[in-house]
Amino acid sequence: MSQSRPRTVVVLAAGEGKRMKSALPKVLHPLLGRTLVGHVLAAAAPLAAERTLVVVGHGADQVAAHLSEVAPQATPVRQTEQLGTGHAVRIALDAVADLAGTVVVLNGDVPLLRAETVTALVETHEAAGAAATVLAAEVADPTGLGRIIRDPAGHLEQIVEERDATSAQRAVREINAGIYAFDAALLRDALSKISTDNDQGEEYLTDVFGLLVAAGEAVAVHVAAEATETLGCNDRVELAALRRLLRDRVNEGWLRSGVTLLDPMTTWIDVTVTLDRDAVVDQNTQLRGATTVGAAAAVGPDVTLIDTTVGAGAVVLRSHAVGAEIGPQASVGPYAYLRPAARLADKAKVGTFVEVKNSEIGPGAKVPHLSYVGDATIGARANIGAATIFVNYDGVAKHHTTVGEAAFVGCDTNLIAPVEIGPGAYVAAGSAITQDVPPGALGVTRASQRNVEGWVARRRAGTKSAEAAEAALTRQEAELARQRAVDASQGEAFHGLGDTAGYDADPGDTATE
Ligand code: UD1
Ligand code: CA
């Protein structure tokens, strides 16, 4: 943006926001990825202001702490008593010795304001050499807002607050959005002259316009292209309405850029999220914070992703992820929980009822069902059987587990960290592994199986189990007798029943796919 004059941005954020009925200062309420004041500061960012002043009062420490995170270039200025918007700007400018150029004032509670609109307002103001320019909008219901009062030729005469307006003025539906550009010197001068002669006994910033007009200065009105941009937030009903409007704006933007949203009404995407082409987002999905979704990835239904990266072509179904990395073509869910530093490489799979924390899951590795993976490194193409628990916590400290490439961990196994399963090693289902398993070895800690014949008949006589067992044994006897008769008639040797081999610790069928 070409810019000849230095710019100062003043954001008004000292009000309590009584009607929010909240312990949180109004401007700190969140709205799809930013606080209210965060949105306003983002809209002002392209102005490349020399300085940004934020007037704080209610919850000043909290607001100042938030500013130091999201807008460290902004300086909080304290207004201990809220004596009006004019007073607030006066206090802010008192903090600046060498004020010159353009002063841009923004209400801290107008979060849908777009950067393009602020930029257009300021550029028009500067190009016209106006003393002051106000952002206005024509709205269906102007209740509670300041009205733009024009003379018969259409020039701005003054801005009148509703409570100070005549009934004819109240009928005006062109309202003041609370966004302005001023010539610094003329603003400073006018602010020293405004009175508190109004219904609220406050210093109104809006009175500056009447004073400038009376002094023969040129003032201008910049009409917002879209009236919804100028909506303020005074209570939680309005906040909810703003959230829906912003959702629709954000979603429309993604639809136009080549992303499919199957149900935009139930898709909530923070303004900080990015999606690549041909990503598909299914219903009831929230994408929050620094989340990114790669090309042709499929996310949802019923997914919440916070600060999570989803690679191209990955699939995430009915799952919750925070601070996770999901690699290209990886598969997550249904019903997975990925916690911070869960990292899934290409084509890795984390399936149903699996929780992963601070762990790397290698390319093509699978953790398909009912497992907890914490503080682990799992090699490429390893398979972790159902109900495997990475036992990472001994009550005092967390420990790491490594599973090598193409290792095979049988179902219902505890890997008690620190422990290492070598590349290509197997672990028998149902083992509790406390020692390293070398590459290619089978680790097994199970007791051998012993069958106590007839136990049910002796110890559970009369139960349904005993009945079923007796019936089965009777059938077996009958079958044996039939077999003997056949063998005898064919003169063949009795060949026994089935395989009687004992336990051989072969877990080949002990995992799941
Ligand atoms: C103000 C305008 C009104 C406009 C409306 C748009 C004035 C007198 N009126 O009214 O014409 O239509 O915004 O939303 O300016 N604030 C301070 N310190 C104060 C008073 C206010 O920092 O002493 C801050 C508030 O926190 C808020 C902003 O200024 O962010 C606007 O104040 P608010 O009381 O909401 O003004 P409105 O009555 O809405
Ligand atoms: Ca307001």
Side-chain angles (χ1 to χ4, degrees):
M1 179 187 321
S2 69
Q3 176 184 343
S4 48
R5 293 152 55 99
R7 291 169 180 162
T8 298
V9 164
V10 179
V11 177
L12 305 185
E16 180 180 6
K18 269 198 197 71
R19 283 176 284 164
M20 295 296 283
K21 298 188 178 161
S22 177
L24 192 65
K26 175 166 82 177
V27 294
L28 295 189
H29 276 258
L31 176 65
L32 290 185
R34 292 194 182 110
T35 58
L36 299 185
V37 70
H39 281 288
V40 172
L41 286 162
L47 296 176
E50 228 176 43
R51 60 179 88 74
T52 299
L53 308 166
V54 181
V55 181
V56 297
H58 280 278
D61 291 341
Q62 245 178 306
V63 178
H66 173 65
L67 291 174
S68 68
E69 272 173 39
V70 303
Q73 79 288 358
T75 311
V77 179
R78 280 169 203 255
Q79 184 195 28
T80 42
E81 266 188 291
Q82 280 65 60
L83 303 176
T85 48
H87 180 256
V89 174
R90 193 153 60 77
I91 286 199
L93 299 185
D94 283 350
V96 182
D98 55 339
L99 189 69
T102 302
V103 176
V104 182
V105 178
L106 305 112
N107 278 3
D109 62 353
V110 188
L112 297 198
L113 185 68
R114 288 181 310 134
E116 293 85 334
T117 302
V118 186
T119 302
L121 168 88
V122 173
E123 285 181 343
T124 314
H125 166 84
E126 289 175 351
T133 303
V134 57
L135 184 70
E138 187 86 23
V139 297
D141 178 12
T143 307
L145 295 166
R147 307 295 205 278
I148 302 289
I149 307 302
R150 296 176 186 256
D151 67 16
H155 298 123
L156 176 66
E157 258 179 4
Q158 55 172 330
I159 301 171
V160 181
E161 293 309 293
E162 177 166 278
R163 54 210 304 165
D164 303 306
T166 64
S167 58
Q169 288 170 332
R170 275 185 205 170
V172 171
R173 291 190 297 111
E174 189 177 21
I175 59 91
N176 165 25
I179 311 296
Y180 323 82
F182 297 98
D183 172 81
L186 292 172
L187 173 63
R188 191 165 243 176
D189 180 56
L191 283 174
S192 70
K193 295 177 180 157
I194 53 175
S195 75
T196 54
D197 182 16
N198 54 55
D199 188 60
Q200 298 190 89
E202 289 185 351
E203 291 181 36
Y204 285 169
L205 177 60
T206 44
D207 284 355
V208 165
F209 284 84
L211 287 170
L212 290 172
V213 170
E217 298 291 345
V219 297
V221 180
H222 186 84
V223 180
E226 201 196 305
T228 53
E229 274 192 67
T230 66
L231 292 172
C233 177
N234 295 301
D235 61 30
R236 299 194 203 218
V237 175
E238 288 178 359
L239 180 58
L242 293 175
R243 184 171 284 115
R244 290 191 293 272
L245 286 166
L246 187 54
R247 173 200 64 196
D248 290 347
R249 183 198 289 174
V250 167
N251 286 353
E252 184 177 335
W254 289 120
L255 289 164
R256 292 198 186 287
S257 75
V259 169
T260 295
L261 307 179
L262 294 175
D263 187 19
M265 295 275 279
T266 64
T267 300
W268 299 87
I269 303 176
D270 280 359
V271 296
T272 44
V273 167
T274 62
L275 298 104
D276 287 342
R277 278 170 74 132
D278 292 316
V280 178
V281 181
D282 206 338
Q283 66 182 4
N284 293 328
T285 294
Q286 302 175 56
L287 305 178
R288 292 167 48 187
T291 292
T292 63
V293 178
V299 176
D302 306 327
V303 166
T304 298
L305 303 179
I306 303 165
D307 301 332
T308 289
T309 307
V310 179
V315 176
V316 185
L317 204 54
R318 295 189 208 278
S319 292
H320 188 97
V322 186
E325 283 172 34
I326 299 168
Q329 292 177 277
S331 159
V332 175
Y335 308 108
Y337 179 23
L338 304 182
R339 291 167 51 198
R343 292 195 200 92
L344 281 58
D346 302 20
K347 297 185 180 158
K349 176 186 171 85
V350 166
T352 310
F353 301 117
V354 174
E355 175 177 339
V356 181
K357 181 216 89 172
N358 187 33
S359 294
E360 313 238 348
I361 303 194
K366 294 179 181 176
V367 190
H369 340 264
L370 299 161
S371 290
Y372 172 66
V373 180
D375 302 308
T377 307
I378 297 176
R381 294 175 295 127
N383 187 83
I384 310 297
T388 295
I389 305 298
F390 286 65
V391 183
N392 59 331
Y393 186 46
D394 60 12
V396 179
K398 303 282 171 69
H399 302 282
H400 193 88
T401 297
T402 302
V403 174
E405 181 180 348
F408 184 100
V409 175
C411 293
D412 194 23
T413 295
N414 289 329
L415 300 175
I416 300 171
V419 73
E420 184 166 345
I421 311 300
Y426 270 58
V427 174
S431 294
I433 298 294
T434 53
Q435 292 166 36
D436 293 353
V437 180
L442 168 70
V444 52
T445 67
R446 280 192 318 232
S448 297
Q449 184 171 333
R450 182 168 76 97
N451 292 336
V452 182
E453 300 289 347
W455 186 91
V456 173
R458 290 194 302 277
R459 307 295 292 269
R460 295 292 183 270
T463 63
K464 60 180 186 278
S465 305
E467 250 172 61
E470 197 188 333
L473 289 167
T474 306
R475 281 195 304 276
Q476 241 178 47
E477 286 295 325
E479 171 63 11
L480 263 177
R482 197 188 61 80
Q483 199 80 49
R484 278 200 205 93
V486 171
D487 289 349
S489 72
Q490 294 177 349
E492 283 174 13
F494 173 59
H495 57 61
L497 245 195
D499 177 11
T500 54
Y503 164 64
D504 66 356
D506 180 349
D509 60 349
T510 55
T512 44
E513 275 278 34

